[in-house]
Amino acid sequence: MKAAAITAAALLASCQQNHGPTRIEMIDQTRAAIAPQLLQLGARNWVVIADPTYPIPAGAGAYTMAVPSGSADTFREVLDLLELQAALTPRIWVCNEMNALTESLAPGITEYNREIEALLSGRFCYRLDERIISMQLADASQKYRILYIKTKTQLPYSTIAIELDSGYWDPDSEAEIRRRMEELAPKPENAETAPTATPRATAPTHAT
């Protein structure tokens, strides 16, 4: 009886050790991994949350990391961290194709869409075809840093691209300061009337 109890305890311990991390544990691991990376980013940089097979552009600015969470949980953590930092504002890009997918084509897409739409509520978001977003990212990677976060989500067109902008200086403020600079710039003095041409001297004549 005692031996049976020991065997059962050993089996239970083995099952617990072989059991994978919980969703909460995976989210904690994801947050710990991405937080220091986000601190290195600034305005005009990007964060891309993508599936494991997403093709990474060859631009020098592309940087890739993998996390144990799904895309919806990762998206939520990125947004939370950006709000805590308060220095950057996210402009979100999602694929048009996502809303056209069905459960028969991509099992799990309904729940994924529901989670993403809840996170997008009240936020500025572009909805464009995936190829257009990919072209934008490929171009941006030639000039700016892009952090690609590969998640455990395996759904087509589930990519979420986040363009970072300054959290304390928006385009309207930039336009206003440019207008003020034009107003404060010294005005050129009115040009005077162009002088009349000096008559060309003629060769002196000699008396005969």
Side-chain angles (χ1 to χ4, degrees), residues 7-8 17 33 45 48 62 76 78 96 110 114 131 148-149 170:
T7 301
Q17 291 175 357
N45 291 146
V48 180
R76 183 183 299 107
V78 169
N96 264 336
T110 302
R114 186 190 66 79
R131 63 181 181 82
Y148 288 89
I149 305 175
D170 56 29

Side-chain angles (χ1 to χ4, degrees), residues 75 89-93 120-127 161 163:
F75 184 33
T89 298
R91 296 177 182 272
I92 304 164
W93 303 48
L120 289 175
S121 178
R123 301 180 186 275
F124 187 87
C125 177
Y126 297 101
R127 297 179 185 273
E163 182 183 9

Side-chain angles (χ1 to χ4, degrees), residues 46 54 57 93 129-143 146 148:
W46 291 71
Y54 188 86
W93 303 48
D129 290 355
E130 190 272 342
R131 63 181 181 82
I132 297 176
I133 297 176
S134 295
M135 290 170 59
Q136 179 71 20
L137 292 171
D139 180 65
S141 70
Q142 304 298 323
K143 297 175 282 187
I146 302 181
Y148 288 89

Side-chain angles (χ1 to χ4, degrees), residues 37 40-41 44-48 56-64 137-148:
Q37 299 300 328
Q40 299 180 37
L41 302 180
R44 299 183 184 177
N45 291 146
W46 291 71
V47 178
V48 180
I56 307 300
Y63 177 77
T64 310
L137 292 171
D139 180 65
S141 70
Q142 304 298 323
K143 297 175 282 187
Y144 305 110
R145 178 169 177 149
I146 302 181
L147 173 62
Y148 288 89

Side-chain angles (χ1 to χ4, degrees), residues 102-104 106-115 155:
T102 62
E103 283 292 316
S104 60
I109 193 63
T110 302
E111 177 63 16
Y112 180 74
N113 270 333
R114 186 190 66 79
E115 292 181 305
L155 289 170

Side-chain angles (χ1 to χ4, degrees), residues 55-71:
I56 307 300
Y63 177 77
T64 310
M65 63 182 298
V67 296
S69 297
S71 291

